[in-house]
Each structure stands twice: as C-alpha cells, then as structure tokens.
Amino acid sequence: MEIFLLTEKCIWFGLGAAGFAVLFNVPSKTLIYIAFMGALGGFLKVTLMHFYETNVIISTLCGATLIGFLSVYFAHKTHSPPPVLAIPACIPMIPGKFAYKMVLGLVNLSGDIDHSTYTQVMSETVNNGLKVVFILMSIAGGVGIPLLISRKESSKGMRFRKRK
Amino acid sequence: MIAPSPKNKEVKDLGNVLLNVGAMLLSSGASTGRTRNTISRISDSFGYSSDLLISHRTIMLTISDKRNDYFFNNLKRSPPHGVNFKLLSGISRLSWQVVEEGLTVNQINDQLSRLAALKHYPRWFTLLFVGLAGISFCRLSDGDAVDMVTVFIATVCGLFIRQEVLKLKFNPYICIYCGAFTASLIAGGGLKYGMGFIHEQAFATSVLFLIPGVPLINSFSDMIDGNLNNAIVRGLNGFIISFAIGMGLLTSMLIYRF
C-alpha cells in the first residue's frame, strides 16, 4: 500500500516537472524525458525520506544528484544542454510548504510582540527558513555534481562508457 | 584614415554576431559560465581570442587575432530576462555546428534569426500544463481532490493575469505580484467560504507556479563556478521575486483577515 502511495507521488512529481518545462518553453521532444527525470528524482527523494527516514535536505540532495546524472545521459539523446533538462525536473522539489510557513512566521514576527509565544514562533520560522535555503542549495549542488566531478567544461565529451 | 580591409570587416561582423549570441543566451536563462563558454567556443573556431566581461544584463567583448593586428571591442545590453530554453538549446547546438562544420558568419546570422523566430507553446497549452503542475504541488503537500480543483483554477487565473499584465509592460516584479495576488485571492476565497472542504494546502500551493526556479538555481551554479558577482545579483533578483510573491499572499490574507 505504501509503495502504491509512493508511486502515485512519482506521477505528480513528473507532471509538475512537465508543467514547468512548458512554462520555460523547452524543445518539445525533451518534454517526456523531463517528466521521466522529475518522476525518478522525486521517487528517490520520497523513498529515502519514507523508508530510511533521511533528513529532507540529504534526500533532496540525492534526488537532485540523480537528476543531474540523468540529465547528462539524456542530453546526448536529445541534443540539448543538461541544464535545460535538469532545471525543470528539479522544480517540484523546491520546498514551497516550508517557504510559505516561513513567510507566515515572518509576518507574525513583525507584528506585536506577545512574550509567551514569541520564542516558539521565532524558532519555527528560523527552522523553516534554514530548511528552504539548504534545500535550494542542495538542489543546485546536486544538479552541478556531474560537471564538477568530471572536471569538464562541457558535457559534450562526457560518456558513461568509453567509446571503442 | 585606415582603408577598410576584408579582415577588418570580418572581425567586426564576427564581434557583432558574438554579442548577439551572448545577449540572447543571457536573456533566455543561461548561466554566466555557459555564456562565456559558448562565445569563446565560437570565436576560437574562427581563430580569434576573446575576452569577456559579463554582468547580469550586459556583455563587454574584446576579440583579437593572434598577432593583435585586428581587434573589435564593444558592449551590448541584453533584452529583459524571460526564460526560453528552446532558444538556449538551439544556440548550444549551433555553437557545436560552427566548430564541427565551419559555418560562416552569414550562416550563423541566418540560423540565429531562425532560432529567434521559433514559436512558443500555444497559450492554452501553457495554461493547462501549469495548472496541472499546480495540482501536482498541491497533491505533493497532501491536499485532497477539492483542494486540487481549487488550485487548478487559481493557478490558471493567476498565470493568465500575469501574462496580461506583462503585455501592458509593467515592471516585472509588479507582474509577479499581480499573479500571486490573483491566485491567492481565489484560493483564499475557497478557504474562507469553502465550509471546511478546502484546506490550507490549497492556499499555500496556489502561488507556487511563480517560484523563481531559474534565477535561484543559476545563482547557485554561478556561485560554484566562481562568478560571485553575478551569483549575488541573480540571487537578489530571485529574492525580490519571492518577496513579490509574499506580498501578494499577504494582501489576500489582509483582505480575508486570516
């Protein structure tokens, strides 16, 4: 049953990625690959969080790294640069819920001070805000990892297997 | 006065093409490193060395041949930013064509004008898919079916209003504010008068279609590349966009007194 729920989330991750791909006007033949990459990356993130109880930041980093490697692989197939594939695929992982809570918290903090709850609101807001920042950093870092560890300027010459 | 020579004309034409390529890349959402790589790839294949200064919306370019007899130096300001990955991937493919097939300057110009004229997706298609993306976000933060329908309507209306305001040539941040305000007004109305069928998730995820994904991710990839100046500017741009979204949300909250 849990597997069913996770697979359902996978579809939503893919659909979200495809929606943003259309908004960013990607070449039409890459759409299906972007949806696929978004679904796989989201699946890895959700699985790590659910079964291994990993921190949300680390699991996002893993999902984004998977998307980064897949983007290099599909870039050869579709003749598009990897960021074009990777950026829309990562967007569903952006922590909208935490960002929303952070904004609400900031509004509360800027209002009148109520000494009994102020410390609690403060700590929750800082917690949510830091999560947003670190998740964003891990998304960008994860997408960049393939180019960083291969020490190449372009993914054009990158192959997963050596050519004969 | 120096007599114009064919070499002199070539370096001028090439320089102008390179500046065009750079401006198109910057405005369609490429990171600084990508812009620099693409420009030097093309100029290297013509046998010129290039030096670049790239800021958020301006490119300064100097190209010169090996003996420094002919050089070209100019500045270009790019059009306002609007993400267009079709153009970006087309230009990347074009730059490899120049290296591998040795296109001339005129051929590059033709290809560029062809790429710039490529059509966007039809408007209804964009609206539909962004609406579906909104549904996905809502479902991912545990909304149920009624919330999803609300978010779909809110997202489609918000994006529609944003596009319309963009056509009136308002400040881009104001366009984002209007989009966020419309979307959250619809979702918030559902939350207030929905008799408990519509939950807070709908209100929170209705504005997510506006998140500045490209500025923020480009900011961090610039930071990793070491283009710190541009990274800070892009990050600040993303921050102001988020702030505009937040203001939109706040206005609706003020109206509904949440």
Side-chain angles (χ1 to χ4, degrees), chain A residues 103-134:
Chain A
V103 171
L104 278 192
L106 287 178
V107 173
N108 281 340
L109 285 185
S110 62
D112 293 334
I113 295 181
D114 178 3
H115 286 288
S116 54
T117 54
Y118 196 79
T119 327
Q120 196 201 347
V121 174
M122 179 83 156
S123 63
E124 275 173 10
T125 308
V126 170
N127 183 358
N128 286 324
L130 286 179
K131 265 184 192 153
V132 171
V133 172
F134 278 107

mmCIF file of all heavy atoms in Angstrom, chain A residues 103-134:
data_model
loop_
_atom_site.group_PDB
_atom_site.id
_atom_site.type_symbol
_atom_site.label_atom_id
_atom_site.label_comp_id
_atom_site.label_asym_id
_atom_site.label_seq_id
_atom_site.Cartn_x
_atom_site.Cartn_y
_atom_site.Cartn_z
ATOM 1 N N VAL A 103 7.192 32.555 5.429
ATOM 2 C CA VAL A 103 6.598 33.876 5.207
ATOM 3 C C VAL A 103 5.562 34.185 6.285
ATOM 4 O O VAL A 103 5.544 35.283 6.861
ATOM 5 C CB VAL A 103 5.968 33.944 3.799
ATOM 6 C CG1 VAL A 103 5.175 35.222 3.639
ATOM 7 C CG2 VAL A 103 7.036 33.863 2.741
ATOM 8 N N LEU A 104 4.722 33.179 6.607
ATOM 9 C CA LEU A 104 3.729 33.379 7.663
ATOM 10 C C LEU A 104 4.406 33.736 8.981
ATOM 11 O O LEU A 104 3.991 34.655 9.690
ATOM 12 C CB LEU A 104 2.919 32.095 7.860
ATOM 13 C CG LEU A 104 1.768 31.842 6.915
ATOM 14 C CD1 LEU A 104 0.925 30.701 7.453
ATOM 15 C CD2 LEU A 104 0.912 33.082 6.792
ATOM 16 N N GLY A 105 5.493 33.001 9.276
ATOM 17 C CA GLY A 105 6.215 33.251 10.519
ATOM 18 C C GLY A 105 6.785 34.655 10.561
ATOM 19 O O GLY A 105 6.699 35.344 11.573
ATOM 20 N N LEU A 106 7.342 35.081 9.421
ATOM 21 C CA LEU A 106 7.923 36.427 9.371
ATOM 22 C C LEU A 106 6.855 37.475 9.622
ATOM 23 O O LEU A 106 7.102 38.468 10.315
ATOM 24 C CB LEU A 106 8.586 36.660 8.014
ATOM 25 C CG LEU A 106 9.910 35.925 7.781
ATOM 26 C CD1 LEU A 106 10.415 36.200 6.389
ATOM 27 C CD2 LEU A 106 10.930 36.378 8.797
ATOM 28 N N VAL A 107 5.657 37.245 9.057
ATOM 29 C CA VAL A 107 4.567 38.200 9.272
ATOM 30 C C VAL A 107 4.218 38.266 10.752
ATOM 31 O O VAL A 107 4.066 39.340 11.341
ATOM 32 C CB VAL A 107 3.338 37.795 8.443
ATOM 33 C CG1 VAL A 107 2.157 38.674 8.805
ATOM 34 C CG2 VAL A 107 3.643 37.897 6.984
ATOM 35 N N ASN A 108 4.137 37.070 11.376
ATOM 36 C CA ASN A 108 3.828 37.049 12.809
ATOM 37 C C ASN A 108 4.899 37.762 13.621
ATOM 38 O O ASN A 108 4.593 38.473 14.564
ATOM 39 C CB ASN A 108 3.716 35.596 13.293
ATOM 40 C CG ASN A 108 2.376 35.013 12.916
ATOM 41 O OD1 ASN A 108 1.430 35.756 12.648
ATOM 42 N ND2 ASN A 108 2.297 33.697 12.877
ATOM 43 N N LEU A 109 6.165 37.534 13.221
ATOM 44 C CA LEU A 109 7.266 38.123 13.976
ATOM 45 C C LEU A 109 7.269 39.635 13.872
ATOM 46 O O LEU A 109 7.656 40.334 14.807
ATOM 47 C CB LEU A 109 8.602 37.591 13.464
ATOM 48 C CG LEU A 109 8.959 36.167 13.852
ATOM 49 C CD1 LEU A 109 10.343 35.839 13.370
ATOM 50 C CD2 LEU A 109 8.895 36.008 15.354
ATOM 51 N N SER A 110 6.812 40.147 12.705
ATOM 52 C CA SER A 110 6.849 41.597 12.535
ATOM 53 C C SER A 110 5.656 42.275 13.193
ATOM 54 O O SER A 110 5.585 43.492 13.236
ATOM 55 C CB SER A 110 6.909 41.953 11.050
ATOM 56 O OG SER A 110 5.754 41.478 10.421
ATOM 57 N N GLY A 111 4.699 41.482 13.681
ATOM 58 C CA GLY A 111 3.542 42.053 14.360
ATOM 59 C C GLY A 111 3.863 42.411 15.804
ATOM 60 O O GLY A 111 5.020 42.531 16.192
ATOM 61 N N ASP A 112 2.813 42.574 16.604
ATOM 62 C CA ASP A 112 3.025 42.913 18.013
ATOM 63 C C ASP A 112 3.668 41.753 18.760
ATOM 64 O O ASP A 112 3.374 40.594 18.488
ATOM 65 C CB ASP A 112 1.670 43.253 18.665
ATOM 66 C CG ASP A 112 1.103 44.522 18.075
ATOM 67 O OD1 ASP A 112 1.912 45.334 17.600
ATOM 68 O OD2 ASP A 112 -0.131 44.678 18.062
ATOM 69 N N ILE A 113 4.514 42.084 19.719
ATOM 70 C CA ILE A 113 5.235 41.054 20.452
ATOM 71 C C ILE A 113 4.366 40.506 21.577
ATOM 72 O O ILE A 113 3.870 41.251 22.417
ATOM 73 C CB ILE A 113 6.546 41.617 21.033
ATOM 74 C CG1 ILE A 113 7.476 41.996 19.895
ATOM 75 C CG2 ILE A 113 7.208 40.594 21.927
ATOM 76 C CD1 ILE A 113 8.791 42.543 20.364
ATOM 77 N N ASP A 114 4.164 39.177 21.530
ATOM 78 C CA ASP A 114 3.488 38.506 22.633
ATOM 79 C C ASP A 114 4.543 37.592 23.262
ATOM 80 O O ASP A 114 4.972 36.627 22.659
ATOM 81 C CB ASP A 114 2.305 37.687 22.082
ATOM 82 C CG ASP A 114 1.602 36.939 23.194
ATOM 83 O OD1 ASP A 114 1.995 37.118 24.357
ATOM 84 O OD2 ASP A 114 0.660 36.189 22.880
ATOM 85 N N HIS A 115 4.954 37.932 24.483
ATOM 86 C CA HIS A 115 6.149 37.281 25.027
ATOM 87 C C HIS A 115 5.983 35.794 25.242
ATOM 88 O O HIS A 115 6.959 35.056 25.240
ATOM 89 C CB HIS A 115 6.546 37.963 26.348
ATOM 90 C CG HIS A 115 7.173 39.296 26.118
ATOM 91 N ND1 HIS A 115 8.442 39.417 25.602
ATOM 92 C CD2 HIS A 115 6.705 40.545 26.281
ATOM 93 C CE1 HIS A 115 8.720 40.699 25.479
ATOM 94 N NE2 HIS A 115 7.679 41.412 25.868
ATOM 95 N N SER A 116 4.747 35.311 25.402
ATOM 96 C CA SER A 116 4.588 33.893 25.701
ATOM 97 C C SER A 116 4.857 33.023 24.474
ATOM 98 O O SER A 116 5.352 31.908 24.602
ATOM 99 C CB SER A 116 3.183 33.635 26.238
ATOM 100 O OG SER A 116 2.237 34.145 25.312
ATOM 101 N N THR A 117 4.521 33.516 23.271
ATOM 102 C CA THR A 117 4.684 32.667 22.082
ATOM 103 C C THR A 117 5.823 33.119 21.190
ATOM 104 O O THR A 117 6.151 32.422 20.231
ATOM 105 C CB THR A 117 3.389 32.657 21.255
ATOM 106 O OG1 THR A 117 3.036 34.010 20.967
ATOM 107 C CG2 THR A 117 2.267 31.979 21.993
ATOM 108 N N TYR A 118 6.418 34.273 21.490
ATOM 109 C CA TYR A 118 7.388 34.841 20.539
ATOM 110 C C TYR A 118 8.541 33.886 20.261
ATOM 111 O O TYR A 118 8.918 33.669 19.113
ATOM 112 C CB TYR A 118 7.929 36.165 21.084
ATOM 113 C CG TYR A 118 8.624 36.998 20.036
ATOM 114 C CD1 TYR A 118 7.877 37.742 19.139
ATOM 115 C CD2 TYR A 118 10.003 37.029 19.945
ATOM 116 C CE1 TYR A 118 8.481 38.506 18.180
ATOM 117 C CE2 TYR A 118 10.627 37.787 18.978
ATOM 118 C CZ TYR A 118 9.866 38.523 18.102
ATOM 119 O OH TYR A 118 10.471 39.268 17.154
ATOM 120 N N THR A 119 9.098 33.276 21.299
ATOM 121 C CA THR A 119 10.264 32.418 21.122
ATOM 122 C C THR A 119 9.931 31.215 20.258
ATOM 123 O O THR A 119 10.718 30.810 19.396
ATOM 124 C CB THR A 119 10.764 31.924 22.491
ATOM 125 O OG1 THR A 119 10.516 32.930 23.436
ATOM 126 C CG2 THR A 119 12.215 31.583 22.431
ATOM 127 N N GLN A 120 8.723 30.666 20.463
ATOM 128 C CA GLN A 120 8.351 29.487 19.683
ATOM 129 C C GLN A 120 8.194 29.843 18.203
ATOM 130 O O GLN A 120 8.721 29.150 17.325
ATOM 131 C CB GLN A 120 7.042 28.923 20.243
ATOM 132 C CG GLN A 120 6.771 27.514 19.774
ATOM 133 C CD GLN A 120 5.305 27.173 19.887
ATOM 134 O OE1 GLN A 120 4.548 27.891 20.528
ATOM 135 N NE2 GLN A 120 4.919 26.080 19.266
ATOM 136 N N VAL A 121 7.479 30.958 17.932
ATOM 137 C CA VAL A 121 7.307 31.376 16.531
ATOM 138 C C VAL A 121 8.667 31.639 15.887
ATOM 139 O O VAL A 121 8.937 31.233 14.760
ATOM 140 C CB VAL A 121 6.422 32.639 16.469
ATOM 141 C CG1 VAL A 121 6.347 33.160 15.046
ATOM 142 C CG2 VAL A 121 5.044 32.340 16.972
ATOM 143 N N MET A 122 9.533 32.293 16.664
ATOM 144 C CA MET A 122 10.876 32.613 16.168
ATOM 145 C C MET A 122 11.629 31.356 15.775
ATOM 146 O O MET A 122 12.181 31.263 14.684
ATOM 147 C CB MET A 122 11.630 33.343 17.297
ATOM 148 C CG MET A 122 13.036 33.698 16.932
ATOM 149 S SD MET A 122 13.004 35.197 16.021
ATOM 150 C CE MET A 122 14.639 35.779 16.325
ATOM 151 N N SER A 123 11.628 30.353 16.663
ATOM 152 C CA SER A 123 12.424 29.156 16.361
ATOM 153 C C SER A 123 11.829 28.407 15.184
ATOM 154 O O SER A 123 12.559 27.902 14.329
ATOM 155 C CB SER A 123 12.518 28.258 17.587
ATOM 156 O OG SER A 123 11.244 27.806 17.937
ATOM 157 N N GLU A 124 10.490 28.365 15.078
ATOM 158 C CA GLU A 124 9.885 27.675 13.928
ATOM 159 C C GLU A 124 10.225 28.390 12.628
ATOM 160 O O GLU A 124 10.541 27.758 11.612
ATOM 161 C CB GLU A 124 8.367 27.614 14.104
ATOM 162 C CG GLU A 124 7.917 26.437 14.945
ATOM 163 C CD GLU A 124 6.440 26.507 15.244
ATOM 164 O OE1 GLU A 124 5.744 27.347 14.642
ATOM 165 O OE2 GLU A 124 5.993 25.724 16.104
ATOM 166 N N THR A 125 10.163 29.728 12.659
ATOM 167 C CA THR A 125 10.442 30.485 11.435
ATOM 168 C C THR A 125 11.884 30.278 10.989
ATOM 169 O O THR A 125 12.150 30.035 9.807
ATOM 170 C CB THR A 125 10.193 31.985 11.681
ATOM 171 O OG1 THR A 125 8.910 32.135 12.223
ATOM 172 C CG2 THR A 125 10.313 32.762 10.406
ATOM 173 N N VAL A 126 12.814 30.349 11.955
ATOM 174 C CA VAL A 126 14.217 30.160 11.596
ATOM 175 C C VAL A 126 14.445 28.749 11.053
ATOM 176 O O VAL A 126 15.135 28.549 10.053
ATOM 177 C CB VAL A 126 15.120 30.439 12.814
ATOM 178 C CG1 VAL A 126 16.536 30.027 12.531
ATOM 179 C CG2 VAL A 126 15.074 31.900 13.159
ATOM 180 N N ASN A 127 13.799 27.770 11.678
ATOM 181 C CA ASN A 127 13.921 26.390 11.228
ATOM 182 C C ASN A 127 13.443 26.247 9.780
ATOM 183 O O ASN A 127 14.153 25.720 8.917
ATOM 184 C CB ASN A 127 13.088 25.509 12.179
ATOM 185 C CG ASN A 127 13.220 24.041 11.836
ATOM 186 O OD1 ASN A 127 13.887 23.699 10.880
ATOM 187 N ND2 ASN A 127 12.599 23.194 12.614
ATOM 188 N N ASN A 128 12.236 26.767 9.499
ATOM 189 C CA ASN A 128 11.701 26.656 8.141
ATOM 190 C C ASN A 128 12.568 27.397 7.139
ATOM 191 O O ASN A 128 12.834 26.901 6.045
ATOM 192 C CB ASN A 128 10.271 27.189 8.093
ATOM 193 C CG ASN A 128 9.298 26.228 8.740
ATOM 194 O OD1 ASN A 128 9.460 25.026 8.618
ATOM 195 N ND2 ASN A 128 8.321 26.760 9.440
ATOM 196 N N GLY A 129 13.013 28.602 7.523
ATOM 197 C CA GLY A 129 13.815 29.399 6.597
ATOM 198 C C GLY A 129 15.123 28.709 6.266
ATOM 199 O O GLY A 129 15.528 28.646 5.107
ATOM 200 N N LEU A 130 15.785 28.155 7.286
ATOM 201 C CA LEU A 130 17.052 27.474 7.030
ATOM 202 C C LEU A 130 16.840 26.249 6.156
ATOM 203 O O LEU A 130 17.647 25.951 5.273
ATOM 204 C CB LEU A 130 17.713 27.065 8.342
ATOM 205 C CG LEU A 130 18.332 28.224 9.108
ATOM 206 C CD1 LEU A 130 18.937 27.737 10.395
ATOM 207 C CD2 LEU A 130 19.403 28.882 8.260
ATOM 208 N N LYS A 131 15.716 25.539 6.375
ATOM 209 C CA LYS A 131 15.420 24.377 5.521
ATOM 210 C C LYS A 131 15.297 24.813 4.069
ATOM 211 O O LYS A 131 15.850 24.184 3.167
ATOM 212 C CB LYS A 131 14.125 23.713 5.976
ATOM 213 C CG LYS A 131 14.352 22.564 6.933
ATOM 214 C CD LYS A 131 13.042 21.902 7.248
ATOM 215 C CE LYS A 131 13.227 20.959 8.419
ATOM 216 N NZ LYS A 131 12.002 20.780 9.177
ATOM 217 N N VAL A 132 14.567 25.928 3.839
ATOM 218 C CA VAL A 132 14.399 26.415 2.463
ATOM 219 C C VAL A 132 15.755 26.684 1.836
ATOM 220 O O VAL A 132 16.063 26.215 0.733
ATOM 221 C CB VAL A 132 13.543 27.705 2.445
ATOM 222 C CG1 VAL A 132 13.562 28.327 1.074
ATOM 223 C CG2 VAL A 132 12.140 27.411 2.860
ATOM 224 N N VAL A 133 16.623 27.409 2.562
ATOM 225 C CA VAL A 133 17.931 27.772 1.999
ATOM 226 C C VAL A 133 18.755 26.527 1.687
ATOM 227 O O VAL A 133 19.307 26.380 0.590
ATOM 228 C CB VAL A 133 18.679 28.694 2.978
ATOM 229 C CG1 VAL A 133 20.103 28.904 2.505
ATOM 230 C CG2 VAL A 133 17.974 30.015 3.097
ATOM 231 N N PHE A 134 18.801 25.589 2.647
ATOM 232 C CA PHE A 134 19.663 24.429 2.426
ATOM 233 C C PHE A 134 19.107 23.506 1.346
ATOM 234 O O PHE A 134 19.871 22.903 0.598
ATOM 235 C CB PHE A 134 19.875 23.664 3.735
ATOM 236 C CG PHE A 134 20.947 24.272 4.568
ATOM 237 C CD1 PHE A 134 20.654 24.971 5.707
ATOM 238 C CD2 PHE A 134 22.271 24.168 4.177
ATOM 239 C CE1 PHE A 134 21.645 25.557 6.453
ATOM 240 C CE2 PHE A 134 23.264 24.745 4.919
ATOM 241 C CZ PHE A 134 22.965 25.437 6.058
#
